[in-house]
Amino acid sequence: MFYMKNVPTAERILRVFIGAVALAVAALNWGGSALAIGAGVVGAMLAMSGLVGFCPMCALVGRKLDKERQP
């Protein structure tokens, strides 16, 4: 792997769920406002970081997973 996962499992599930909701809101309001486009971009970023398990912003601040708490 080229990266180390830095997002715990519970947060990954939450990110995918919130990302999917944001993408649905963006799809329903597409073309209506810049807010819908922003929601789509943020939703896509959240969903992808949840699916992959790596968040670039968390890596920038030095966040790492506890190896003892991983099953």
Side-chain angles (χ1 to χ4, degrees), residues 21-62:
V21 169
L23 284 171
V25 167
L28 291 174
N29 296 315
W30 196 256
S33 68
L35 187 62
I37 295 171
V41 170
V42 170
M45 289 175 17
L46 277 174
M48 287 306 296
S49 68
L51 290 173
V52 174
F54 176 75
C55 176
M57 290 299 169
C58 293
L60 281 175
V61 296

